Amino acid sequence: MERIRIAVLVSGGGTNLQALLDAQAAGQLTSGEIALVVSDRPGAYALERAAKAGVPGREIRRERGTGNSSAAQEDFERRLEAALAEQGIGLIVLAGFLSILSPAFTKKWDHRILNIHPSLIPSFCGPGFYGLKVHEAALARGVKVTGATVHFVNEIPDGGEIIAQGAVEVRPGDTPEVLQRRVMERAEWVLLPRATEAVCARMIASGES
Ligand code: GRF
């Protein structure tokens, strides 16, 4: 059966990557196959998760302080594209990936890059809203419900078409860390594998693979 080859891009611990690997091992990812994990940070634990699952991992760093930042961006994306081409990748999943991708890159991969964001977009999203900062902002605003969103990536940070959302209650006494954990367990780790499977199935059905 035809399967879309997926690259997962990570920067950190990789619990969302783990959710995808677990879904694959459990036979819940049948239209796609995790073929490559790319980290932009050296020593990201996510790469160990990839190795344990027998998935090829690559470290591709965006060089900083080279003077011309657009040249550094182009160089980073050229190396990324080469790794994606080498593995015949059809879909990119950003799972806690902290580097920004250029408009030229997101346009080339239009509707073929997914991201998971730990809030109900359009709340608490866009530039500066990543990691614990998202949950700190939700608690400071006093919302009673938050959640996670899987969306396509375009040139606007967290601005692409929404694919799936899951709501999670905020409880009295929540700290950002406690809320982050609940959002991951109840929403992110469930939504991301399901949305990835749904997008792969749609790509195959519409002949986009
Ligand atoms: C998650 O909260 C994800 O939504 C956000 O970054 C975090 C990554 O966690 N984009 P992990 O590396 O998947 O554990």
Side-chain angles (χ1 to χ4, degrees):
M1 201 184 93
E2 190 185 354
R3 295 175 93 184
I4 305 290
R5 290 175 65 78
I6 301 167
V8 184
L9 275 50
V10 298
S11 300
T15 62
N16 280 289
L17 166 67
Q18 192 65 54
L20 286 164
L21 293 168
D22 291 349
Q24 177 161 280
Q28 292 156 357
L29 192 58
T30 54
S31 307
E33 169 185 6
I34 302 165
L36 177 67
V37 173
V38 174
S39 170
D40 64 345
R41 307 279 143 113
Y45 184 63
L47 286 177
E48 277 184 45
R49 296 182 190 270
K52 278 186 196 145
V55 174
R58 287 280 297 273
E59 193 182 293
I60 302 180
R61 269 196 273 175
R62 190 189 181 290
E63 301 304 333
R64 278 161 223 282
T66 47
N68 183 342
S69 85
S70 78
Q73 183 73 23
E74 277 173 29
D75 176 60
F76 169 70
E77 290 179 355
R78 201 173 307 124
R79 285 178 287 133
L80 179 57
E81 286 279 15
L84 299 173
E86 198 176 285
Q87 289 291 340
I89 298 301
L91 182 74
I92 298 171
V93 176
L94 308 184
F97 182 66
L98 295 176
S99 289
I100 297 291
L101 296 168
S102 71
F105 188 96
T106 58
K107 195 165 182 198
K108 180 168 176 205
W109 287 84
D110 184 36
H111 282 81
R112 290 193 298 147
I113 310 176
L114 307 189
N115 182 45
I116 176 93
H117 181 78
S119 77
L120 293 172
I121 290 175
S123 291
F124 313 118
C125 66
F129 285 104
Y130 61 89
L132 272 182
K133 288 178 195 292
V134 178
H135 305 290
E136 283 163 6
L139 290 173
R141 187 63 185 84
V143 295
K144 303 303 175 204
V145 175
T146 184
T149 302
V150 181
H151 63 92
F152 285 115
V153 173
N154 64 9
E155 70 286 0
I156 303 160
D158 297 327
E161 184 187 333
I162 291 172
I163 300 165
Q165 293 188 301
V168 175
E169 61 171 338
V170 179
R171 294 185 192 152
D174 272 351
T175 62
E177 291 79 6
V178 167
L179 185 57
Q180 179 184 51
R181 181 77 194 180
R182 191 179 310 121
V183 168
M184 284 179 156
E185 284 177 357
R186 304 270 172 97
E188 296 184 44
W189 300 343
V190 182
L191 284 182
L192 188 59
R194 277 194 201 152
T196 301
E197 169 62 20
V199 168
C200 289
R202 217 183 300 156
M203 285 173 74
I204 292 171
S206 64
E208 281 172 54
S209 51

